[in-house]
């Protein structure tokens, strides 16, 4: 029904290496098959009866994950975020969930696809082990991310 609140989810995978400097077990470079679950929640406001077409969601998420696939995340993220290493940030599942939420939200917004979405959750799973989930409320999201001070940026 139009006007109904609905949640949709899509699963993605990529393979990448990382290391966590100073960590007893994870301080050495190692790799995982990562699972990413993108969940969007919002209002079905158009006659297509979709919150978002999965093909469109693929076109937003896959290019982001392709930049990480079969690479060392420490190096990729240091190139994407110049202050990454100086701020001692590491590619933990928590940080990856936050980064993906920001990058996917920015892409959806730039394509005008965020109008009916109220919430997005990103779950990142490291292999078959642990996972982290980051939820972003689109209504309270800072529209001008660039105005944040450097220490608040990813």
């Amino acid at each position: 029904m139009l006007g109904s609140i609905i949640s949709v989810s899509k699963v993605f995978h990529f393979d990448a290496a990382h290391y966590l400097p100073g960590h007893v077990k994870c301080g050495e470079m190692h790799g995982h098959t990562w699972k990413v679950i993108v969940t969007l929640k919002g209002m079905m406001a158009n006659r297509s009866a979709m919150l978002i077409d999965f093909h469109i969601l693929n076109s937003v998420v896959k290019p982001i994950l392709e930049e990480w696939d079969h690479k060392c995340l420490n190096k990729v993220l240091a190139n994407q975020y110049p202050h990454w290493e100086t701020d001692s940030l590491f590619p933990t599942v928590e940080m990856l969930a936050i980064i993906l939420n920001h990058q996917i939200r920015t892409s959806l917004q730039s394509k005008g696809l965020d109008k009916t979405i109220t919430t997005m959750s990103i779950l990142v799973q490291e292999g078959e082990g642990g996972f982290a989930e980051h939820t972003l409320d689109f209504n309270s999201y800072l529209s001008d991310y660039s105005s944040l001070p450097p220490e608040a940026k990813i």
Side-chain angles (χ1 to χ4, degrees), residues 7-12 36-41 50-65 100 104-105 107-108 111 113 117 120-122 138:
S7 293
V8 296
S9 299
K10 180 100 172 96
V11 178
F12 301 88
V36 175
I37 302 175
V38 177
T39 301
L40 303 172
K41 182 177 181 180
M50 289 185 216
L51 179 61
I52 190 167
D53 185 311
F54 285 131
H55 177 74
I56 293 171
L57 186 57
N58 281 343
S59 74
V60 169
V61 177
K62 283 187 175 183
I64 294 168
L65 296 180
L100 285 172
I104 294 168
R105 165 66 164 109
S107 182
L108 288 170
K111 297 174 188 300
L113 299 171
I117 298 168
M120 179 169 62
S121 293
I122 305 295
F138 278 29

PDB file of all heavy atoms in Angstrom, residues 7-12 36-41 50-65 100 104-105 107-108 111 113 117 120-122 138:
ATOM      1  N   SER A   7      10.708  -2.125   5.039  1.00  0.00           N
ATOM      2  CA  SER A   7      12.159  -2.315   5.065  1.00  0.00           C
ATOM      3  C   SER A   7      12.532  -3.291   3.967  1.00  0.00           C
ATOM      4  O   SER A   7      11.844  -4.294   3.772  1.00  0.00           O
ATOM      5  CB  SER A   7      12.621  -2.904   6.404  1.00  0.00           C
ATOM      6  OG  SER A   7      12.429  -1.993   7.445  1.00  0.00           O
ATOM      7  N   VAL A   8      13.605  -2.987   3.256  1.00  0.00           N
ATOM      8  CA  VAL A   8      14.153  -3.900   2.253  1.00  0.00           C
ATOM      9  C   VAL A   8      15.639  -4.060   2.532  1.00  0.00           C
ATOM     10  O   VAL A   8      16.299  -3.125   2.986  1.00  0.00           O
ATOM     11  CB  VAL A   8      13.917  -3.412   0.797  1.00  0.00           C
ATOM     12  CG1 VAL A   8      12.439  -3.368   0.473  1.00  0.00           C
ATOM     13  CG2 VAL A   8      14.552  -2.062   0.554  1.00  0.00           C
ATOM     14  N   SER A   9      16.148  -5.253   2.263  1.00  0.00           N
ATOM     15  CA  SER A   9      17.561  -5.536   2.507  1.00  0.00           C
ATOM     16  C   SER A   9      18.156  -6.234   1.300  1.00  0.00           C
ATOM     17  O   SER A   9      17.470  -6.971   0.595  1.00  0.00           O
ATOM     18  CB  SER A   9      17.735  -6.433   3.735  1.00  0.00           C
ATOM     19  OG  SER A   9      17.244  -5.810   4.895  1.00  0.00           O
ATOM     20  N   LYS A  10      19.437  -6.001   1.096  1.00  0.00           N
ATOM     21  CA  LYS A  10      20.179  -6.639   0.005  1.00  0.00           C
ATOM     22  C   LYS A  10      21.537  -7.036   0.549  1.00  0.00           C
ATOM     23  O   LYS A  10      22.182  -6.279   1.278  1.00  0.00           O
ATOM     24  CB  LYS A  10      20.330  -5.661  -1.163  1.00  0.00           C
ATOM     25  CG  LYS A  10      21.079  -6.209  -2.351  1.00  0.00           C
ATOM     26  CD  LYS A  10      20.142  -6.650  -3.442  1.00  0.00           C
ATOM     27  CE  LYS A  10      20.911  -7.020  -4.699  1.00  0.00           C
ATOM     28  NZ  LYS A  10      21.165  -8.438  -4.795  1.00  0.00           N
ATOM     29  N   VAL A  11      21.994  -8.244   0.190  1.00  0.00           N
ATOM     30  CA  VAL A  11      23.268  -8.784   0.654  1.00  0.00           C
ATOM     31  C   VAL A  11      24.316  -8.634  -0.447  1.00  0.00           C
ATOM     32  O   VAL A  11      24.031  -8.907  -1.617  1.00  0.00           O
ATOM     33  CB  VAL A  11      23.117 -10.274   1.035  1.00  0.00           C
ATOM     34  CG1 VAL A  11      24.460 -10.861   1.475  1.00  0.00           C
ATOM     35  CG2 VAL A  11      22.073 -10.445   2.131  1.00  0.00           C
ATOM     36  N   PHE A  12      25.508  -8.205  -0.039  1.00  0.00           N
ATOM     37  CA  PHE A  12      26.650  -8.051  -0.939  1.00  0.00           C
ATOM     38  C   PHE A  12      27.850  -8.753  -0.302  1.00  0.00           C
ATOM     39  O   PHE A  12      27.899  -8.917   0.916  1.00  0.00           O
ATOM     40  CB  PHE A  12      26.991  -6.569  -1.152  1.00  0.00           C
ATOM     41  CG  PHE A  12      25.873  -5.766  -1.729  1.00  0.00           C
ATOM     42  CD1 PHE A  12      24.921  -5.168  -0.914  1.00  0.00           C
ATOM     43  CD2 PHE A  12      25.762  -5.602  -3.106  1.00  0.00           C
ATOM     44  CE1 PHE A  12      23.882  -4.423  -1.456  1.00  0.00           C
ATOM     45  CE2 PHE A  12      24.732  -4.857  -3.654  1.00  0.00           C
ATOM     46  CZ  PHE A  12      23.790  -4.271  -2.825  1.00  0.00           C
ATOM     47  N   VAL A  36      28.150  -7.768   3.478  1.00  0.00           N
ATOM     48  CA  VAL A  36      27.554  -6.467   3.772  1.00  0.00           C
ATOM     49  C   VAL A  36      26.053  -6.585   3.516  1.00  0.00           C
ATOM     50  O   VAL A  36      25.650  -6.995   2.427  1.00  0.00           O
ATOM     51  CB  VAL A  36      28.160  -5.352   2.885  1.00  0.00           C
ATOM     52  CG1 VAL A  36      27.450  -4.029   3.119  1.00  0.00           C
ATOM     53  CG2 VAL A  36      29.653  -5.221   3.130  1.00  0.00           C
ATOM     54  N   ILE A  37      25.255  -6.240   4.514  1.00  0.00           N
ATOM     55  CA  ILE A  37      23.807  -6.225   4.343  1.00  0.00           C
ATOM     56  C   ILE A  37      23.347  -4.780   4.464  1.00  0.00           C
ATOM     57  O   ILE A  37      23.546  -4.139   5.499  1.00  0.00           O
ATOM     58  CB  ILE A  37      23.090  -7.108   5.377  1.00  0.00           C
ATOM     59  CG1 ILE A  37      23.593  -8.544   5.282  1.00  0.00           C
ATOM     60  CG2 ILE A  37      21.564  -7.037   5.164  1.00  0.00           C
ATOM     61  CD1 ILE A  37      23.043  -9.474   6.349  1.00  0.00           C
ATOM     62  N   VAL A  38      22.757  -4.286   3.388  1.00  0.00           N
ATOM     63  CA  VAL A  38      22.225  -2.924   3.355  1.00  0.00           C
ATOM     64  C   VAL A  38      20.718  -3.028   3.565  1.00  0.00           C
ATOM     65  O   VAL A  38      20.035  -3.709   2.805  1.00  0.00           O
ATOM     66  CB  VAL A  38      22.523  -2.242   1.999  1.00  0.00           C
ATOM     67  CG1 VAL A  38      21.912  -0.850   1.948  1.00  0.00           C
ATOM     68  CG2 VAL A  38      24.022  -2.197   1.748  1.00  0.00           C
ATOM     69  N   THR A  39      20.218  -2.367   4.605  1.00  0.00           N
ATOM     70  CA  THR A  39      18.781  -2.352   4.888  1.00  0.00           C
ATOM     71  C   THR A  39      18.286  -0.911   4.839  1.00  0.00           C
ATOM     72  O   THR A  39      18.819  -0.049   5.535  1.00  0.00           O
ATOM     73  CB  THR A  39      18.481  -2.972   6.264  1.00  0.00           C
ATOM     74  OG1 THR A  39      18.954  -4.312   6.282  1.00  0.00           O
ATOM     75  CG2 THR A  39      16.984  -2.950   6.560  1.00  0.00           C
ATOM     76  N   LEU A  40      17.297  -0.685   4.002  1.00  0.00           N
ATOM     77  CA  LEU A  40      16.671   0.625   3.873  1.00  0.00           C
ATOM     78  C   LEU A  40      15.255   0.542   4.424  1.00  0.00           C
ATOM     79  O   LEU A  40      14.546  -0.441   4.187  1.00  0.00           O
ATOM     80  CB  LEU A  40      16.624   1.057   2.411  1.00  0.00           C
ATOM     81  CG  LEU A  40      17.964   1.111   1.680  1.00  0.00           C
ATOM     82  CD1 LEU A  40      17.748   1.368   0.202  1.00  0.00           C
ATOM     83  CD2 LEU A  40      18.856   2.165   2.280  1.00  0.00           C
ATOM     84  N   LYS A  41      14.852   1.578   5.129  1.00  0.00           N
ATOM     85  CA  LYS A  41      13.500   1.653   5.672  1.00  0.00           C
ATOM     86  C   LYS A  41      12.903   2.984   5.238  1.00  0.00           C
ATOM     87  O   LYS A  41      13.591   4.011   5.260  1.00  0.00           O
ATOM     88  CB  LYS A  41      13.544   1.561   7.195  1.00  0.00           C
ATOM     89  CG  LYS A  41      12.195   1.571   7.859  1.00  0.00           C
ATOM     90  CD  LYS A  41      12.358   1.390   9.363  1.00  0.00           C
ATOM     91  CE  LYS A  41      11.029   1.368  10.053  1.00  0.00           C
ATOM     92  NZ  LYS A  41      11.177   1.200  11.512  1.00  0.00           N
ATOM     93  N   MET A  50       7.703   0.071  -4.787  1.00  0.00           N
ATOM     94  CA  MET A  50       9.042  -0.279  -4.310  1.00  0.00           C
ATOM     95  C   MET A  50       9.597   0.898  -3.528  1.00  0.00           C
ATOM     96  O   MET A  50       9.414   2.041  -3.915  1.00  0.00           O
ATOM     97  CB  MET A  50       9.992  -0.528  -5.483  1.00  0.00           C
ATOM     98  CG  MET A  50       9.759  -1.756  -6.265  1.00  0.00           C
ATOM     99  SD  MET A  50      11.105  -1.888  -7.487  1.00  0.00           S
ATOM    100  CE  MET A  50      10.208  -2.562  -8.850  1.00  0.00           C
ATOM    101  N   LEU A  51      10.306   0.572  -2.470  1.00  0.00           N
ATOM    102  CA  LEU A  51      11.054   1.609  -1.766  1.00  0.00           C
ATOM    103  C   LEU A  51      12.244   2.012  -2.634  1.00  0.00           C
ATOM    104  O   LEU A  51      12.524   3.199  -2.811  1.00  0.00           O
ATOM    105  CB  LEU A  51      11.514   1.098  -0.400  1.00  0.00           C
ATOM    106  CG  LEU A  51      12.334   2.065   0.441  1.00  0.00           C
ATOM    107  CD1 LEU A  51      11.532   3.309   0.764  1.00  0.00           C
ATOM    108  CD2 LEU A  51      12.815   1.383   1.710  1.00  0.00           C
ATOM    109  N   ILE A  52      12.936   0.994  -3.161  1.00  0.00           N
ATOM    110  CA  ILE A  52      14.018   1.205  -4.109  1.00  0.00           C
ATOM    111  C   ILE A  52      14.141  -0.063  -4.943  1.00  0.00           C
ATOM    112  O   ILE A  52      13.983  -1.169  -4.431  1.00  0.00           O
ATOM    113  CB  ILE A  52      15.363   1.541  -3.412  1.00  0.00           C
ATOM    114  CG1 ILE A  52      16.422   2.001  -4.424  1.00  0.00           C
ATOM    115  CG2 ILE A  52      15.848   0.386  -2.561  1.00  0.00           C
ATOM    116  CD1 ILE A  52      17.654   2.641  -3.797  1.00  0.00           C
ATOM    117  N   ASP A  53      14.400   0.089  -6.211  1.00  0.00           N
ATOM    118  CA  ASP A  53      14.614  -1.039  -7.098  1.00  0.00           C
ATOM    119  C   ASP A  53      15.967  -1.661  -6.746  1.00  0.00           C
ATOM    120  O   ASP A  53      16.967  -0.952  -6.606  1.00  0.00           O
ATOM    121  CB  ASP A  53      14.604  -0.528  -8.544  1.00  0.00           C
ATOM    122  CG  ASP A  53      14.699  -1.623  -9.572  1.00  0.00           C
ATOM    123  OD1 ASP A  53      15.592  -2.489  -9.447  1.00  0.00           O
ATOM    124  OD2 ASP A  53      13.891  -1.600 -10.516  1.00  0.00           O
ATOM    125  N   PHE A  54      16.025  -2.992  -6.575  1.00  0.00           N
ATOM    126  CA  PHE A  54      17.278  -3.646  -6.221  1.00  0.00           C
ATOM    127  C   PHE A  54      18.361  -3.415  -7.270  1.00  0.00           C
ATOM    128  O   PHE A  54      19.543  -3.354  -6.941  1.00  0.00           O
ATOM    129  CB  PHE A  54      17.074  -5.154  -6.004  1.00  0.00           C
ATOM    130  CG  PHE A  54      16.398  -5.474  -4.695  1.00  0.00           C
ATOM    131  CD1 PHE A  54      15.322  -6.342  -4.659  1.00  0.00           C
ATOM    132  CD2 PHE A  54      16.841  -4.928  -3.509  1.00  0.00           C
ATOM    133  CE1 PHE A  54      14.695  -6.652  -3.467  1.00  0.00           C
ATOM    134  CE2 PHE A  54      16.217  -5.231  -2.302  1.00  0.00           C
ATOM    135  CZ  PHE A  54      15.145  -6.097  -2.282  1.00  0.00           C
ATOM    136  N   HIS A  55      17.971  -3.286  -8.516  1.00  0.00           N
ATOM    137  CA  HIS A  55      18.954  -2.990  -9.571  1.00  0.00           C
ATOM    138  C   HIS A  55      19.610  -1.630  -9.311  1.00  0.00           C
ATOM    139  O   HIS A  55      20.824  -1.470  -9.471  1.00  0.00           O
ATOM    140  CB  HIS A  55      18.274  -3.016 -10.940  1.00  0.00           C
ATOM    141  CG  HIS A  55      19.193  -2.664 -12.067  1.00  0.00           C
ATOM    142  ND1 HIS A  55      20.160  -3.530 -12.540  1.00  0.00           N
ATOM    143  CD2 HIS A  55      19.312  -1.524 -12.801  1.00  0.00           C
ATOM    144  CE1 HIS A  55      20.828  -2.938 -13.513  1.00  0.00           C
ATOM    145  NE2 HIS A  55      20.338  -1.719 -13.690  1.00  0.00           N
ATOM    146  N   ILE A  56      18.819  -0.666  -8.905  1.00  0.00           N
ATOM    147  CA  ILE A  56      19.350   0.669  -8.590  1.00  0.00           C
ATOM    148  C   ILE A  56      20.240   0.603  -7.351  1.00  0.00           C
ATOM    149  O   ILE A  56      21.321   1.198  -7.313  1.00  0.00           O
ATOM    150  CB  ILE A  56      18.205   1.688  -8.424  1.00  0.00           C
ATOM    151  CG1 ILE A  56      17.517   1.907  -9.776  1.00  0.00           C
ATOM    152  CG2 ILE A  56      18.712   2.997  -7.840  1.00  0.00           C
ATOM    153  CD1 ILE A  56      16.242   2.711  -9.704  1.00  0.00           C
ATOM    154  N   LEU A  57      19.809  -0.143  -6.332  1.00  0.00           N
ATOM    155  CA  LEU A  57      20.631  -0.290  -5.129  1.00  0.00           C
ATOM    156  C   LEU A  57      21.970  -0.938  -5.485  1.00  0.00           C
ATOM    157  O   LEU A  57      23.018  -0.510  -5.000  1.00  0.00           O
ATOM    158  CB  LEU A  57      19.892  -1.104  -4.068  1.00  0.00           C
ATOM    159  CG  LEU A  57      20.582  -1.221  -2.709  1.00  0.00           C
ATOM    160  CD1 LEU A  57      20.866   0.149  -2.098  1.00  0.00           C
ATOM    161  CD2 LEU A  57      19.740  -2.067  -1.776  1.00  0.00           C
ATOM    162  N   ASN A  58      21.948  -1.945  -6.362  1.00  0.00           N
ATOM    163  CA  ASN A  58      23.199  -2.555  -6.845  1.00  0.00           C
ATOM    164  C   ASN A  58      24.101  -1.513  -7.488  1.00  0.00           C
ATOM    165  O   ASN A  58      25.313  -1.501  -7.263  1.00  0.00           O
ATOM    166  CB  ASN A  58      22.911  -3.650  -7.879  1.00  0.00           C
ATOM    167  CG  ASN A  58      22.475  -4.947  -7.265  1.00  0.00           C
ATOM    168  OD1 ASN A  58      22.660  -5.188  -6.083  1.00  0.00           O
ATOM    169  ND2 ASN A  58      21.860  -5.789  -8.077  1.00  0.00           N
ATOM    170  N   SER A  59      23.518  -0.627  -8.293  1.00  0.00           N
ATOM    171  CA  SER A  59      24.311   0.371  -9.007  1.00  0.00           C
ATOM    172  C   SER A  59      24.935   1.396  -8.061  1.00  0.00           C
ATOM    173  O   SER A  59      25.891   2.069  -8.425  1.00  0.00           O
ATOM    174  CB  SER A  59      23.463   1.070 -10.078  1.00  0.00           C
ATOM    175  OG  SER A  59      22.548   1.972  -9.495  1.00  0.00           O
ATOM    176  N   VAL A  60      24.405   1.509  -6.853  1.00  0.00           N
ATOM    177  CA  VAL A  60      24.959   2.408  -5.848  1.00  0.00           C
ATOM    178  C   VAL A  60      26.034   1.705  -5.019  1.00  0.00           C
ATOM    179  O   VAL A  60      27.123   2.237  -4.808  1.00  0.00           O
ATOM    180  CB  VAL A  60      23.839   2.955  -4.926  1.00  0.00           C
ATOM    181  CG1 VAL A  60      24.413   3.668  -3.713  1.00  0.00           C
ATOM    182  CG2 VAL A  60      22.910   3.869  -5.703  1.00  0.00           C
ATOM    183  N   VAL A  61      25.744   0.491  -4.562  1.00  0.00           N
ATOM    184  CA  VAL A  61      26.613  -0.198  -3.608  1.00  0.00           C
ATOM    185  C   VAL A  61      27.802  -0.880  -4.283  1.00  0.00           C
ATOM    186  O   VAL A  61      28.930  -0.799  -3.790  1.00  0.00           O
ATOM    187  CB  VAL A  61      25.808  -1.213  -2.772  1.00  0.00           C
ATOM    188  CG1 VAL A  61      26.714  -1.987  -1.826  1.00  0.00           C
ATOM    189  CG2 VAL A  61      24.702  -0.499  -1.999  1.00  0.00           C
ATOM    190  N   LYS A  62      27.568  -1.557  -5.390  1.00  0.00           N
ATOM    191  CA  LYS A  62      28.650  -2.334  -6.014  1.00  0.00           C
ATOM    192  C   LYS A  62      29.885  -1.513  -6.378  1.00  0.00           C
ATOM    193  O   LYS A  62      31.007  -1.962  -6.128  1.00  0.00           O
ATOM    194  CB  LYS A  62      28.121  -3.114  -7.217  1.00  0.00           C
ATOM    195  CG  LYS A  62      27.349  -4.344  -6.804  1.00  0.00           C
ATOM    196  CD  LYS A  62      26.971  -5.192  -7.996  1.00  0.00           C
ATOM    197  CE  LYS A  62      26.298  -6.478  -7.539  1.00  0.00           C
ATOM    198  NZ  LYS A  62      25.994  -7.356  -8.668  1.00  0.00           N
ATOM    199  N   PRO A  63      29.757  -0.312  -6.952  1.00  0.00           N
ATOM    200  CA  PRO A  63      30.973   0.465  -7.255  1.00  0.00           C
ATOM    201  C   PRO A  63      31.793   0.803  -6.008  1.00  0.00           C
ATOM    202  O   PRO A  63      33.024   0.846  -6.060  1.00  0.00           O
ATOM    203  CB  PRO A  63      30.443   1.734  -7.921  1.00  0.00           C
ATOM    204  CG  PRO A  63      29.103   1.355  -8.455  1.00  0.00           C
ATOM    205  CD  PRO A  63      28.557   0.348  -7.488  1.00  0.00           C
ATOM    206  N   ILE A  64      31.133   1.013  -4.888  1.00  0.00           N
ATOM    207  CA  ILE A  64      31.845   1.302  -3.639  1.00  0.00           C
ATOM    208  C   ILE A  64      32.622   0.075  -3.194  1.00  0.00           C
ATOM    209  O   ILE A  64      33.810   0.158  -2.869  1.00  0.00           O
ATOM    210  CB  ILE A  64      30.847   1.764  -2.550  1.00  0.00           C
ATOM    211  CG1 ILE A  64      30.219   3.110  -2.943  1.00  0.00           C
ATOM    212  CG2 ILE A  64      31.532   1.853  -1.183  1.00  0.00           C
ATOM    213  CD1 ILE A  64      29.024   3.515  -2.108  1.00  0.00           C
ATOM    214  N   LEU A  65      31.973  -1.085  -3.213  1.00  0.00           N
ATOM    215  CA  LEU A  65      32.635  -2.312  -2.772  1.00  0.00           C
ATOM    216  C   LEU A  65      33.699  -2.770  -3.756  1.00  0.00           C
ATOM    217  O   LEU A  65      34.691  -3.385  -3.343  1.00  0.00           O
ATOM    218  CB  LEU A  65      31.600  -3.417  -2.539  1.00  0.00           C
ATOM    219  CG  LEU A  65      30.603  -3.152  -1.408  1.00  0.00           C
ATOM    220  CD1 LEU A  65      29.640  -4.321  -1.272  1.00  0.00           C
ATOM    221  CD2 LEU A  65      31.309  -2.870  -0.087  1.00  0.00           C
ATOM    222  N   LEU A 100      30.782   2.784   5.103  1.00  0.00           N
ATOM    223  CA  LEU A 100      29.829   2.386   4.050  1.00  0.00           C
ATOM    224  C   LEU A 100      28.518   3.132   4.182  1.00  0.00           C
ATOM    225  O   LEU A 100      27.924   3.548   3.181  1.00  0.00           O
ATOM    226  CB  LEU A 100      29.595   0.876   4.081  1.00  0.00           C
ATOM    227  CG  LEU A 100      30.725   0.036   3.525  1.00  0.00           C
ATOM    228  CD1 LEU A 100      30.461  -1.447   3.782  1.00  0.00           C
ATOM    229  CD2 LEU A 100      30.904   0.290   2.031  1.00  0.00           C
ATOM    230  N   ILE A 104      27.350   5.240   0.993  1.00  0.00           N
ATOM    231  CA  ILE A 104      26.102   4.855   0.314  1.00  0.00           C
ATOM    232  C   ILE A 104      25.080   5.969   0.436  1.00  0.00           C
ATOM    233  O   ILE A 104      24.395   6.308  -0.528  1.00  0.00           O
ATOM    234  CB  ILE A 104      25.576   3.518   0.868  1.00  0.00           C
ATOM    235  CG1 ILE A 104      26.554   2.394   0.503  1.00  0.00           C
ATOM    236  CG2 ILE A 104      24.176   3.217   0.339  1.00  0.00           C
ATOM    237  CD1 ILE A 104      26.300   1.079   1.235  1.00  0.00           C
ATOM    238  N   ARG A 105      24.975   6.581   1.610  1.00  0.00           N
ATOM    239  CA  ARG A 105      24.035   7.696   1.812  1.00  0.00           C
ATOM    240  C   ARG A 105      24.370   8.848   0.866  1.00  0.00           C
ATOM    241  O   ARG A 105      23.488   9.413   0.224  1.00  0.00           O
ATOM    242  CB  ARG A 105      24.095   8.166   3.263  1.00  0.00           C
ATOM    243  CG  ARG A 105      23.452   9.519   3.546  1.00  0.00           C
ATOM    244  CD  ARG A 105      21.945   9.489   3.327  1.00  0.00           C
ATOM    245  NE  ARG A 105      21.306  10.620   3.931  1.00  0.00           N
ATOM    246  CZ  ARG A 105      20.779  11.632   3.243  1.00  0.00           C
ATOM    247  NH1 ARG A 105      20.839  11.646   1.937  1.00  0.00           N
ATOM    248  NH2 ARG A 105      20.179  12.628   3.861  1.00  0.00           N
ATOM    249  N   SER A 107      25.922   8.713  -2.005  1.00  0.00           N
ATOM    250  CA  SER A 107      25.604   8.318  -3.379  1.00  0.00           C
ATOM    251  C   SER A 107      24.093   8.354  -3.625  1.00  0.00           C
ATOM    252  O   SER A 107      23.642   8.852  -4.657  1.00  0.00           O
ATOM    253  CB  SER A 107      26.162   6.928  -3.671  1.00  0.00           C
ATOM    254  OG  SER A 107      25.908   6.569  -5.004  1.00  0.00           O
ATOM    255  N   LEU A 108      23.311   7.837  -2.689  1.00  0.00           N
ATOM    256  CA  LEU A 108      21.847   7.882  -2.831  1.00  0.00           C
ATOM    257  C   LEU A 108      21.364   9.332  -2.933  1.00  0.00           C
ATOM    258  O   LEU A 108      20.531   9.666  -3.775  1.00  0.00           O
ATOM    259  CB  LEU A 108      21.167   7.196  -1.642  1.00  0.00           C
ATOM    260  CG  LEU A 108      21.254   5.681  -1.567  1.00  0.00           C
ATOM    261  CD1 LEU A 108      20.760   5.181  -0.216  1.00  0.00           C
ATOM    262  CD2 LEU A 108      20.455   5.039  -2.699  1.00  0.00           C
ATOM    263  N   LYS A 111      22.077  11.066  -6.260  1.00  0.00           N
ATOM    264  CA  LYS A 111      21.225  10.577  -7.342  1.00  0.00           C
ATOM    265  C   LYS A 111      19.750  10.889  -7.087  1.00  0.00           C
ATOM    266  O   LYS A 111      18.881  10.472  -7.856  1.00  0.00           O
ATOM    267  CB  LYS A 111      21.414   9.062  -7.507  1.00  0.00           C
ATOM    268  CG  LYS A 111      22.812   8.652  -7.914  1.00  0.00           C
ATOM    269  CD  LYS A 111      22.946   7.131  -7.916  1.00  0.00           C
ATOM    270  CE  LYS A 111      24.342   6.640  -8.124  1.00  0.00           C
ATOM    271  NZ  LYS A 111      24.994   7.004  -9.340  1.00  0.00           N
ATOM    272  N   LEU A 113      17.898   9.697  -4.716  1.00  0.00           N
ATOM    273  CA  LEU A 113      17.193   8.460  -4.363  1.00  0.00           C
ATOM    274  C   LEU A 113      16.874   8.350  -2.878  1.00  0.00           C
ATOM    275  O   LEU A 113      16.415   7.312  -2.424  1.00  0.00           O
ATOM    276  CB  LEU A 113      18.035   7.251  -4.791  1.00  0.00           C
ATOM    277  CG  LEU A 113      18.316   7.136  -6.279  1.00  0.00           C
ATOM    278  CD1 LEU A 113      19.336   6.034  -6.540  1.00  0.00           C
ATOM    279  CD2 LEU A 113      17.028   6.876  -7.039  1.00  0.00           C
ATOM    280  N   ILE A 117      13.439   7.383   1.816  1.00  0.00           N
ATOM    281  CA  ILE A 117      14.153   6.556   2.792  1.00  0.00           C
ATOM    282  C   ILE A 117      14.293   7.331   4.099  1.00  0.00           C
ATOM    283  O   ILE A 117      14.700   8.490   4.110  1.00  0.00           O
ATOM    284  CB  ILE A 117      15.537   6.154   2.250  1.00  0.00           C
ATOM    285  CG1 ILE A 117      15.375   5.316   0.978  1.00  0.00           C
ATOM    286  CG2 ILE A 117      16.328   5.387   3.304  1.00  0.00           C
ATOM    287  CD1 ILE A 117      16.653   5.107   0.201  1.00  0.00           C
ATOM    288  N   MET A 120      18.756   3.911   7.190  1.00  0.00           N
ATOM    289  CA  MET A 120      19.571   2.915   6.511  1.00  0.00           C
ATOM    290  C   MET A 120      20.476   2.264   7.551  1.00  0.00           C
ATOM    291  O   MET A 120      21.100   2.958   8.357  1.00  0.00           O
ATOM    292  CB  MET A 120      20.425   3.531   5.407  1.00  0.00           C
ATOM    293  CG  MET A 120      21.292   2.504   4.700  1.00  0.00           C
ATOM    294  SD  MET A 120      22.086   3.104   3.183  1.00  0.00           S
ATOM    295  CE  MET A 120      23.112   4.411   3.817  1.00  0.00           C
ATOM    296  N   SER A 121      20.519   0.940   7.520  1.00  0.00           N
ATOM    297  CA  SER A 121      21.425   0.189   8.379  1.00  0.00           C
ATOM    298  C   SER A 121      22.395  -0.578   7.504  1.00  0.00           C
ATOM    299  O   SER A 121      22.002  -1.155   6.489  1.00  0.00           O
ATOM    300  CB  SER A 121      20.656  -0.801   9.259  1.00  0.00           C
ATOM    301  OG  SER A 121      19.852  -0.122  10.177  1.00  0.00           O
ATOM    302  N   ILE A 122      23.650  -0.573   7.917  1.00  0.00           N
ATOM    303  CA  ILE A 122      24.689  -1.329   7.235  1.00  0.00           C
ATOM    304  C   ILE A 122      25.259  -2.321   8.235  1.00  0.00           C
ATOM    305  O   ILE A 122      25.771  -1.934   9.284  1.00  0.00           O
ATOM    306  CB  ILE A 122      25.825  -0.416   6.724  1.00  0.00           C
ATOM    307  CG1 ILE A 122      25.295   0.690   5.827  1.00  0.00           C
ATOM    308  CG2 ILE A 122      26.903  -1.245   6.030  1.00  0.00           C
ATOM    309  CD1 ILE A 122      24.669   0.231   4.537  1.00  0.00           C
ATOM    310  N   PHE A 138      18.059   9.187   8.334  1.00  0.00           N
ATOM    311  CA  PHE A 138      18.213  10.177   7.274  1.00  0.00           C
ATOM    312  C   PHE A 138      17.645  11.535   7.671  1.00  0.00           C
ATOM    313  O   PHE A 138      18.074  12.560   7.174  1.00  0.00           O
ATOM    314  CB  PHE A 138      17.530   9.710   5.992  1.00  0.00           C
ATOM    315  CG  PHE A 138      18.364   8.765   5.172  1.00  0.00           C
ATOM    316  CD1 PHE A 138      19.293   7.922   5.747  1.00  0.00           C
ATOM    317  CD2 PHE A 138      18.227   8.731   3.810  1.00  0.00           C
ATOM    318  CE1 PHE A 138      20.062   7.058   5.001  1.00  0.00           C
ATOM    319  CE2 PHE A 138      18.985   7.866   3.031  1.00  0.00           C
ATOM    320  CZ  PHE A 138      19.909   7.033   3.631  1.00  0.00           C
TER     321      PHE A 138
END
